[in-house]
Amino acid sequence: MLKKISVRKASRICRHFSVDVPEMPRCDFVPEKYNGKDYASMQELRQRHLAPCITAMFKKPIVINQGHMQWLFDHKGKRYLDMFGGIVTVSVGHCHPKVVDVATKQINKLWHTSNIYLHPNIHEYAEKLTEKLPGDLKVVYFVNSGSEANDLAMLIARLHTGNFDIISLRNGYHGMTNHTMGVTAQSTWRYHVPANNGIHHVMNPDPFKGLWGGAKCRDSPVQTSRKCDCEGDECQATDMYYDQLEEVFKYSLPKGRVAAMFAESIQGVGGAIQYTKKYLKKAQELIHANGGLYVADEVQTGFGRTGEHFWGFEGHGVIPDVVTMAKGIGNGFPLAAVVTTPKIAECLTRALHFNTFGGNPVACAIGQAVLEVIEEEKTQERSKNIGTYLLKELEKLKDKWSVIGDVRGKGLMIGVELVEDSKNTPLGVPFMSHIVEQCKDMGLLIGKGGMNGNVLRIKPPMCITKEDADFTVKVLDNSIKTYAQHAKRNRPEYVFLEKNK
């Protein structure tokens, strides 16, 4: 196991090793000259005026001046490949020309009226959006963020069913309002305030780190190397996790009564965690049998990101009762939605309910433009093809470096879990921070996630190319290589070793 060290010491470990910086893919876009505050002033103003909980990424944060498709440019004009997409939010590309054009025309015509008046944008967009959903999911309520959407979904579930208790999966993330903090099941995102009234967190069916699961248990081009005895399409691990879910119904809920179960189709903040096959389908059947609704959180997995389907839940063979969506829906513009059936939506008429900015003319114009770009540019197909290629290339890195414990995901919803040893002990924060910092210095922006912050989150704008995927793998390979170099220099406690060497 690695000794605990500081970020500063981790940086010193690798300082004396040269790193080959791969050549970036070509980009002909020329950013505008930066005319804002100088770096030191911005740091001082941030510390003085922004809430201290708003922390910047990287030891030396970068100043973003401009974006173009998959590229970001800092205040000095340096170019970065954005493989995190503004935290899984930029879907079709930074400042996509069609989206910019639509937004500009609408903002010059009408910014805001609120939905107490009729306006074509909200009606046209609602029709286009619901056409993308299966079954009777035809009624939409527009809001501004994923947290808002999940908060409203909690209210809808309790009103419609007349039940109170809600189930969510451990390691899931559903927002940071006072209510959604309750269904979020990660201690790192929890304050010491009452938030869990009627909320039950159930065992997460994780094939990599959970009690059960292995190499045949998840729907991904890349499987965990953990062994399992599953045959064909049947997953024994799912049955065991389902038994744990039944235990919660048996011992913790009012008999036959539950309001809802919330589940991301692939856990995002939790580290791109996928579930065992058919778990969500069996869980939905149990929820329905006890009077509840299944709420699919598509905030990160929607709009073609998983490649094979437009919605992540489609990969689980289910049709939810409620779908929440945000992030990629507006390509970075504040926009979110709750979609449900006419029958369920009726419950909100029991009292006045209103959102001032929900269905804003500019937001709806942008949302519709995003849908059109996804169709016109075959973004979902690109997500599948490039994503599968990238996953397979990352799998080769896993076969090369012992520090990579797992590669997983679908489409461009990818996680790479870094570990210290064969027991999959999470890689320490200092080394994780240095790896991400080195990637940034070489022009690659990736995120971190997971309960222990040891998962590289790769979820870029869905316009990336095969060349971008190759660059990503080369940069990550070179970053890990510095640790392998050090391990050969009389420091055996650092085990970033190349396999078969």
Side-chain angles (χ1 to χ4, degrees):
M1 183 182 296
L2 297 178
K3 296 179 180 178
K4 290 185 177 181
I5 63 172
S6 66
V7 174
R8 181 178 297 177
K9 190 172 182 181
S11 299
R12 287 204 306 270
I13 288 171
C14 302
R15 184 177 298 161
H16 303 294
F17 299 104
S18 62
V19 179
D20 296 326
V21 180
E23 183 178 352
M24 298 187 80
R26 180 175 173 175
C27 173
D28 295 327
F29 181 81
V30 179
E32 298 175 6
K33 184 178 179 181
Y34 177 73
N35 293 310
K37 293 279 187 181
D38 65 80
Y39 191 87
S41 297
M42 200 177 306
Q43 287 280 64
E44 191 274 331
L45 288 168
R46 184 182 183 92
Q47 186 174 8
R48 182 148 48 101
H49 292 299
L50 294 186
C53 62
I54 302 175
T55 57
M57 194 171 178
F58 305 121
K59 182 180 178 181
K60 186 175 182 181
I62 57 177
V63 178
I64 300 298
N65 177 42
Q66 194 166 359
H68 173 72
M69 301 307 285
Q70 65 266 50
W71 304 105
L72 289 172
F73 300 84
D74 71 10
H75 63 305
K76 295 181 179 179
K78 180 177 177 178
R79 178 162 58 103
Y80 300 86
L81 175 61
D82 182 10
M83 292 297 285
F84 198 25
I87 314 183
V88 209
T89 299
V90 179
S91 50
V92 298
H94 291 283
C95 300
H96 189 287
K98 176 165 184 169
V99 181
V100 169
D101 183 58
V102 167
T104 302
K105 287 178 179 177
Q106 184 58 52
I107 210 165
N108 282 327
K109 184 178 181 181
L110 182 68
W111 284 28
H112 180 72
T113 60
S114 201
N115 54 36
I116 58 172
Y117 304 109
L118 296 184
H119 188 275
N121 288 8
I122 188 172
H123 304 92
E124 292 170 5
Y125 180 46
E127 182 181 37
K128 294 272 187 192
L129 181 62
T130 54
E131 283 175 355
K132 291 289 187 182
L133 287 143
D136 207 20
L137 292 165
K138 298 303 177 189
V139 177
V140 58
Y141 192 104
F142 290 112
V143 290
N144 309 288
S145 72
S147 291
E148 268 188 276
N150 281 323
D151 194 296
L152 178 57
M154 292 176 71
L155 175 64
I156 288 172
R158 284 169 166 162
L159 286 174
H160 175 73
T161 64
N163 300 331
F164 186 70
D165 292 78
I166 292 175
I167 288 172
S168 65
L169 295 169
R170 294 173 191 164
N171 196 57
Y173 179 90
H174 300 283
M176 282 297 292
T177 65
N178 193 57
H179 287 299
T180 56
M181 195 192 309
V183 287
T184 291
Q186 295 183 41
S187 60
T188 48
W189 295 93
R190 301 294 299 275
Y191 290 109
H192 185 56
V193 296
N196 261 41
N197 192 14
I199 308 294
H200 307 268
H201 301 148
V202 300
M203 188 178 289
N204 195 34
D206 178 1
F208 177 62
K209 290 182 295 189
L211 292 180
W212 309 287
K216 301 176 183 177
C217 293
R218 70 185 179 207
D219 179 22
S220 172
V222 179
Q223 298 291 338
T224 175
S225 53
R226 186 180 180 185
K227 294 181 180 179
C228 73
D229 298 320
C230 299
E231 296 290 341
D233 200 34
E234 296 303 315
C235 180
Q236 296 177 23
T238 286
D239 294 336
M240 290 181 265
Y241 286 117
Y242 180 78
D243 289 344
Q244 293 298 308
L245 178 61
E246 280 191 317
E247 291 277 294
V248 173
F249 276 84
K250 183 176 180 179
Y251 293 106
S252 302
L253 296 176
K255 190 171 183 179
R257 305 198 68 169
V258 68
M261 179 175 183
F262 278 69
E264 300 163 89
S265 298
I266 297 175
Q267 290 179 337
V269 174
I273 301 297
Q274 294 178 273
Y275 314 128
T276 56
K277 293 176 182 177
K278 297 185 179 179
Y279 174 83
L280 280 185
K281 188 173 182 64
K282 292 190 69 173
Q284 182 188 42
E285 292 169 357
L286 183 60
I287 293 295
H288 284 170
N290 286 271
L293 305 179
Y294 163 47
V295 180
D297 183 331
E298 291 286 328
V299 169
Q300 295 194 25
T301 51
F303 299 89
R305 179 158 292 277
T306 60
E308 190 175 359
H309 303 98
F310 197 83
W311 306 104
F313 64 75
E314 293 176 288
H316 296 278
V318 296
I319 297 179
D321 303 290
V322 181
V323 182
T324 60
M325 56 194 75
K327 289 187 179 286
I329 189 175
N331 199 46
F333 195 87
L335 175 63
V338 180
V339 180
T340 188
T341 68
K343 183 178 179 181
I344 295 172
E346 188 69 23
C347 68
L348 287 177
T349 63
R350 298 175 195 170
L352 294 177
H353 192 86
F354 184 69
N355 187 300
T356 301
F357 297 102
N360 172 276
V362 179
C364 288
I366 289 173
Q368 188 163 333
V370 169
L371 288 180
E372 291 171 1
V373 171
I374 290 172
E375 292 178 2
E376 293 165 1
E377 300 185 2
K378 300 187 184 326
T379 301
Q380 181 182 329
E381 182 180 338
R382 177 184 292 267
S383 202
K384 178 182 179 180
N385 294 338
I386 302 297
T388 300
Y389 173 78
L390 179 54
L391 278 162
K392 291 293 188 180
E393 292 300 302
L394 290 168
E395 185 179 33
K396 294 176 184 176
L397 280 193
K398 176 177 176 286
D399 294 337
K400 179 180 180 180
W401 298 109
S402 60
V403 71
I404 299 179
D406 196 33
V407 173
R408 53 184 175 256
K410 285 186 71 176
L412 290 172
M413 184 83 178
I414 297 172
V416 179
E417 184 148 352
L418 303 187
V419 299
E420 293 184 358
D421 50 39
S422 59
K423 296 180 181 179
N424 293 324
T425 304
L427 184 65
V429 171
F431 282 110
M432 280 296 302
S433 297
H434 192 78
I435 285 175
V436 172
E437 194 88 25
Q438 270 206 327
C439 288
K440 178 260 293 182
D441 291 343
M442 286 185 273
L444 175 70
L445 302 180
I446 50 179
K448 294 188 298 180
M451 264 295 294
N452 299 288
N454 68 311
V455 181
L456 300 174
R457 297 176 67 195
I458 301 174
K459 295 143 186 191
M462 295 183 286
C463 56
I464 66 164
T465 65
K466 181 176 178 289
E467 290 72 26
D468 299 331
D470 288 333
F471 176 74
T472 298
V473 174
K474 288 175 184 176
V475 169
L476 185 55
D477 187 26
N478 287 355
S479 183
I480 293 173
K481 186 177 181 180
T482 60
Y483 299 95
Q485 288 175 327
H486 176 77
K488 297 174 183 177
R489 297 280 188 93
N490 304 315
R491 295 297 295 271
E493 68 269 27
Y494 299 109
V495 292
F496 296 78
L497 298 176
E498 196 168 356
K499 292 179 179 178
N500 303 318
K501 289 285 184 178

